Amino acid sequence: MAAHWILLVLLLYFGVLMLIGYVTGKQADSYDFFVARRQSPWYVVAFGMIGASLSGVTFISVPGWVGTAAFSYFQMVLGYLAGYAVIAFVLLPLYYRLNLISIYTYLKERIGKHAYKTGAAFFLLSRTVGAAFRLYLVAMVLHVGIFQHWGASFGLTTFISLLLIWLYTARGGIKTIVWTDTLQTIFMLLAVVFTIWFIKDDLGWSWSQMSEHLAQDPRSQVFFWDDWKDKKFFWKQFISGAFIAIVMTGLDQDMMQKNLSCRTLRDAQKNMITFSWILVPVNWLFLTLGLLLYAYAEGHGIGLPAKSDMLYPTLAFNHFPWIAGLFFFVGIIAAAYSSADSALTALTTSFCIDILGFEQIKDKKKQERLRRWVHVGITFLLWLVIMIFHRLNDESVINAIFTAAGYTYGPLLGMYAFGLLTQRRAIDRWVPWVACLAPCITWVIAQNSERWFNGYRFGYELLLINGLLCFVGMWAASRRAGV
């Protein structure tokens, strides 16, 4: 597919997003930007969250991951269901009862100012790294598909990608994103379904023949029960999935900001439960797509790219007919930006409220001016982190995201667990030290686990170790209530 046609599609696509941003951003103020005045329809939020949760990482990395990890990722997806239930029936009632805009305000009320600032800081670190990883993928695809043909650098490609997001989210924030994410989820799912249909027809299979091939392929294995030391072992994946859902959704301002824009707690809970059950078959679709991509490459004698993340883009741009390449391009843009736009808004929200004390500023014009400058600053920060990651990345991006989450979200898990499960009073000034020490000890354990624990290799359950260490540290630096 020619680069100028891809660019035209990109401009048309963002023209639609800009139109939505203009309509929803009319006369929008900071309250609209942060929580859309709590007027978002729950079913719109639920559908849009599919795209925001999956992102470009799922779109590219999960299909490529099938080659080495089979369908083991689905074990984590099943664990997500347990995690989302905790969010719906434990965390959301708490957030609505306290009428929160930033969910980290809970830490201030339960533990103290230092815990509050520490929790917000870890979110800002976590989401900045996660959003940069996700945007790295789409910038890489845009660079290969369009901008490198005109001699543009990867840095310029990334800058243009971020500028487009900034333009349509600058005024409406979450009020805009609730609707743009819905549109982008539709495009993403259409792209996946069309690609599956195209490969099936290209290989000359009926639907039943395709199902038979998938079932016989050893890469379609879902459950791994035999080796408890293996990263793919079921219980390691399932339990890790549950806690990853809790921390990367329930303790994440980005994902919770959409839930908090619903009219009532009941609406937010309906949104979360509906979203979680839709997510299961959608993830199965992506795994199925991955197996079909490998079958297509093998059937046509196409050599596999060095990085599994590039399997889908390589086939779409270089081997699929132009219509299939077009669907891929629209799908990856939709998947990546539905996650990135909300991340940019959530980072802006958290920095304004949690770090700058935005609500204490009474002058509305000063509030708006400050929010806009923070929005610009966060955009530049994401560009900088993406450029650093571009220099360093040497592994599957989805693996990098979950590994990073184990270190950066662990302290949040420990702090919230301490607040919710105990009545003890933490010594607030010690919380930042405990929260920083826990991931450092976790890293040491991970580096030496095979030598210390008879060959055991930690996977994503490092998140649990990290959270437990933070919890224990806070318990040690606490006293009984009333003392």
Side-chain angles (χ1 to χ4, degrees):
M1 188 176 180
H4 63 277
W5 286 113
I6 298 177
L7 180 61
L8 177 61
V9 171
L10 179 68
L11 293 175
L12 289 173
Y13 183 84
F14 275 97
V16 175
L17 295 183
M18 289 292 294
L19 178 62
I20 295 174
Y22 172 77
V23 172
T24 57
K26 283 183 178 180
Q27 300 178 335
D29 58 14
S30 294
Y31 193 47
D32 291 296
F33 187 95
F34 295 147
V35 290
R37 297 192 174 274
R38 302 194 192 277
Q39 294 298 312
S40 301
W42 71 266
Y43 45 87
V44 175
V45 177
F47 189 72
M49 279 182 64
I50 296 170
S53 174
L54 296 175
S55 78
V57 173
T58 305
F59 198 86
I60 290 181
S61 281
V62 168
W65 214 12
V66 169
T68 56
F71 276 30
S72 63
Y73 177 67
F74 196 72
Q75 298 174 129
M76 288 184 66
V77 174
L78 296 177
Y80 292 165
L81 292 176
Y84 291 141
V86 173
I87 295 169
F89 299 110
V90 177
L91 294 178
L92 280 177
L94 174 68
Y95 298 153
Y96 268 84
R97 176 169 56 82
L98 296 175
N99 195 32
L100 301 182
I101 292 178
S102 167
I103 64 174
Y104 308 112
T105 308
Y106 163 74
L107 295 174
K108 181 180 181 180
E109 298 191 12
R110 171 62 179 85
I111 301 174
K113 182 179 178 180
H114 289 89
Y116 168 47
K117 296 294 185 180
T118 302
F122 268 97
F123 162 72
L124 290 168
L125 172 64
S126 304
R127 183 46 71 178
T128 299
V129 172
F133 283 170
R134 290 171 170 89
L135 278 167
Y136 167 77
L137 276 180
V138 71
M140 182 170 60
V141 171
L142 287 175
H143 186 62
V144 172
I146 304 177
F147 294 103
Q148 75 171 4
H149 295 285
W150 296 319
S153 66
F154 179 79
L156 179 60
T157 301
T158 304
F159 175 80
I160 294 172
S161 303
L162 285 164
L163 176 63
L164 291 170
I165 298 175
W166 182 87
L167 286 172
Y168 74 82
T169 60
R171 291 182 61 85
I174 202 70
K175 184 179 179 181
T176 297
I177 287 167
V178 165
W179 295 99
T180 56
D181 278 2
T182 300
L183 177 68
Q184 295 186 121
T185 297
I186 292 172
F187 282 126
M188 180 190 68
L189 295 179
L190 282 175
V192 174
V193 171
F194 179 84
T195 305
I196 290 174
W197 173 81
F198 158 71
I199 294 177
K200 175 193 75 69
D201 276 11
D202 181 86
L203 295 176
W205 293 339
S206 65
W207 289 107
S208 60
Q209 289 173 324
M210 185 187 79
S211 298
E212 183 179 350
H213 174 85
L214 295 178
Q216 293 176 350
D217 194 309
R219 289 170 297 198
S220 66
Q221 181 179 352
V222 176
F223 299 107
F224 292 79
W225 304 97
D226 297 332
D227 185 4
W228 63 274
K229 297 178 183 179
D230 188 359
K231 289 184 178 181
K232 299 192 293 290
F233 182 62
F234 173 80
W235 289 112
K236 292 170 71 172
Q237 293 270 318
F238 181 86
I239 295 171
S240 297
F243 280 91
I244 285 172
I246 291 171
V247 298
M248 294 187 72
T249 300
L251 304 184
D252 186 285
Q253 177 66 26
D254 181 359
M255 299 302 288
M256 284 296 96
Q257 197 162 345
K258 298 181 180 69
N259 285 273
L260 295 176
S261 73
C262 293
R263 295 184 177 95
T264 64
L265 169 60
R266 183 173 178 79
D267 278 358
Q269 290 174 320
K270 287 190 291 186
N271 155 56
M272 181 54 62
I273 296 301
T274 303
F275 151 74
S276 65
W277 281 102
I278 294 175
L279 207 58
V280 173
V282 168
N283 273 287
W284 186 265
L285 272 181
F286 277 101
L287 291 166
T288 299
L289 171 63
L291 197 52
L292 288 173
L293 290 172
Y294 280 101
Y296 180 89
E298 291 161 1
H300 289 273
I302 300 170
L304 299 177
K307 290 185 177 182
S308 62
D309 289 337
M310 291 305 296
L311 174 64
Y312 195 3
T314 299
L315 295 179
F317 284 137
N318 300 327
H319 301 282
F320 287 177
W322 72 269
I323 186 65
L326 176 63
F327 267 90
F328 163 78
F329 179 73
V330 173
I332 182 57
I333 293 297
Y337 282 102
S338 63
S339 174
D341 54 16
S342 59
L344 181 57
T345 300
L347 288 167
T348 301
T349 300
S350 181
F351 194 85
C352 285
I353 293 176
D354 301 324
I355 305 301
L356 300 180
F358 190 82
E359 293 176 304
Q360 299 174 11
I361 301 173
K362 303 303 180 185
D363 187 332
K364 295 294 184 183
K365 290 184 178 180
K366 188 175 180 180
Q367 279 187 344
E368 294 299 309
R369 187 164 58 251
L370 177 63
R371 175 175 59 78
R372 291 192 182 105
W373 276 112
V374 170
H375 202 211
V376 171
I378 295 294
T379 304
F380 175 76
L381 176 63
L382 286 175
W383 178 85
L384 183 62
V385 176
I386 291 169
M387 296 307 298
I388 294 172
F389 184 60
H390 179 57
R391 297 274 183 180
L392 301 177
N393 180 48
D394 61 355
E395 59 182 321
S396 170
V397 176
I398 192 166
N399 185 53
I401 286 178
F402 288 139
T403 301
Y407 292 103
T408 56
Y409 280 94
L412 279 172
L413 177 62
M415 284 189 280
Y416 273 85
F418 180 86
L420 292 169
L421 301 178
T422 78
Q423 298 297 318
R424 296 177 68 87
R425 301 294 301 177
I427 301 174
D428 186 43
R429 68 179 181 274
W430 287 103
V431 172
W433 296 99
V434 171
C436 291
L437 187 59
C440 294
I441 297 175
T442 302
W443 183 83
V444 172
I445 292 173
Q447 296 302 306
N448 296 280
S449 65
E450 292 188 63
R451 182 161 54 91
W452 289 352
F453 305 116
N454 192 31
Y456 184 86
R457 291 181 298 168
F458 280 101
Y460 304 132
E461 72 272 22
L462 280 175
L463 170 66
L464 307 183
I465 303 298
N466 196 356
L468 179 62
L469 288 171
C470 184
F471 180 91
V472 171
M474 292 186 65
W475 181 282
S478 67
R479 56 183 179 269
R480 293 192 303 274
V483 176

